[in-house]
Amino acid sequence: MIAIELMETAPAAADALSTLALTPLAEPAPKGIDTENIVTFFASKIAPILLAALGVIFIGRASRGEISKVLTSSAIAIVGLAFIAGAATLFFVGDYLIDLIFE
């Protein structure tokens, strides 16, 4: 009697197993973070806003006669921009070196 019941449920179990075999068990692993789009977003949206804010601050200070503070702040801002540009350059140079070494 048990054998008869097992024989009757075998096709249903086979259908269930074939359905499970067709469905993916897990999503594929993420490929990584798309840093190129992040850098592009910061360069095109955030940096101009920050530079405009610095310009407004500098004009406000200059209109009050604080020229020395404006010049000091301007020099600091220019040095900061140079460091940012250097870091971006090193990012691309490093990417090139990694591609060159591990190709």
Side-chain angles (χ1 to χ4, degrees):
M1 180 121 160
I2 295 174
I4 294 172
E5 288 179 8
L6 284 175
M7 294 296 288
E8 290 173 355
T9 58
D15 289 340
L17 286 176
S18 65
T19 304
L20 284 176
L22 294 176
T23 57
L25 296 179
E27 292 183 19
K31 303 238 188 244
I33 298 173
D34 189 12
T35 56
E36 185 175 324
N37 285 338
I38 293 172
V39 170
T40 303
F41 173 77
F42 276 108
S44 65
K45 305 286 190 274
I46 304 298
I49 293 171
L50 291 177
L51 290 174
L54 280 175
V56 168
I57 291 170
F58 292 162
I59 291 171
R61 280 186 174 178
S63 67
R64 289 186 299 201
E66 300 176 359
I67 301 298
S68 64
K69 289 183 180 180
V70 170
L71 291 176
T72 303
S73 298
S74 298
I76 291 170
I78 291 170
V79 169
L81 289 174
F83 275 109
I84 291 171
T89 303
L90 289 176
F91 177 76
F92 292 116
V93 169
D95 188 35
Y96 172 75
L97 289 176
I98 288 173
D99 287 342
L100 185 67
I101 291 171
F102 293 110
E103 229 176 53

